[in-house]
Amino acid sequence: MLDGKDWQGTGGASEQAIKNLIASAPILLPESYLSFLSHCNGGQGPLNSQPMWLCLYPAEEVAEIERDGTFHEYFPCNFVIGGSCGGDAIALNVSNIGTVQVVRFDMTNIDLEESVQPVAPSFEELIALIGNLEN
């Protein structure tokens, strides 16, 4: 999944951490995201598109953010899984019924039309955007 990618990651999440994440999620999480966590429980690296840097949080942190409801009021339909290390959150967005796309949003701008921007149409395509070691 991350072969040849410029990714600084950690070991995989425990089975219990993934179960806790699934239990906390208000959406059906993509299998590709859960598979990613089982191999790499978070990490960071460059993206070949905006926001240019991707930091994916460990399963435990994602579950805690969801339980705390940090973004529920101002950023509904967005399940935060990481950030850009520069003020943007990275989220799985379920505003279109039946689809889960990856978006970024400026955590200081609650105007959804202005703030929420697409990053990738799926989690798989987000991983494909991670920079290669050769670049």
Side-chain angles (χ1 to χ4, degrees):
M1 182 180 292
L2 293 169
D3 293 339
K5 301 286 187 180
D6 189 6
W7 186 256
Q8 303 164 12
T10 62
S14 70
E15 188 175 322
Q16 189 59 50
I18 292 174
K19 285 181 182 179
N20 291 343
L21 175 61
I22 292 168
S24 73
I27 63 170
L28 182 61
L29 297 172
E31 277 302 316
S32 56
Y33 175 59
L34 298 174
S35 176
F36 173 87
L37 289 173
S38 71
H39 294 4
C40 184
N41 193 20
Q44 60 183 330
L47 277 183
N48 293 325
S49 69
Q50 289 295 332
M52 305 309 290
W53 194 260
L54 175 64
C55 177
L56 291 176
Y57 302 148
E60 299 86 351
E61 189 173 343
V62 173
E64 183 178 331
I65 290 169
E66 185 57 31
R67 281 192 303 272
D68 289 348
T70 306
F71 299 103
H72 291 177
E73 182 177 356
Y74 296 110
F75 299 99
C77 302
N78 291 290
F79 183 76
V80 174
I81 61 171
S84 67
C85 299
D88 285 341
I90 302 294
L92 300 175
N93 178 283
V94 293
S95 59
N96 293 325
I97 295 174
T99 63
V100 177
Q101 67 174 339
V102 181
V103 299
R104 64 186 171 100
F105 61 83
D106 178 344
M107 293 182 279
T108 65
N109 182 354
I110 61 172
D111 180 340
L112 295 180
E113 286 188 30
E114 188 177 292
S115 180
V116 179
Q117 300 294 318
V119 176
S122 68
F123 187 80
E124 297 92 346
E125 292 182 59
L126 175 70
I127 297 303
L129 290 173
I130 295 172
N132 294 329
L133 289 170
E134 297 83 40
N135 293 344

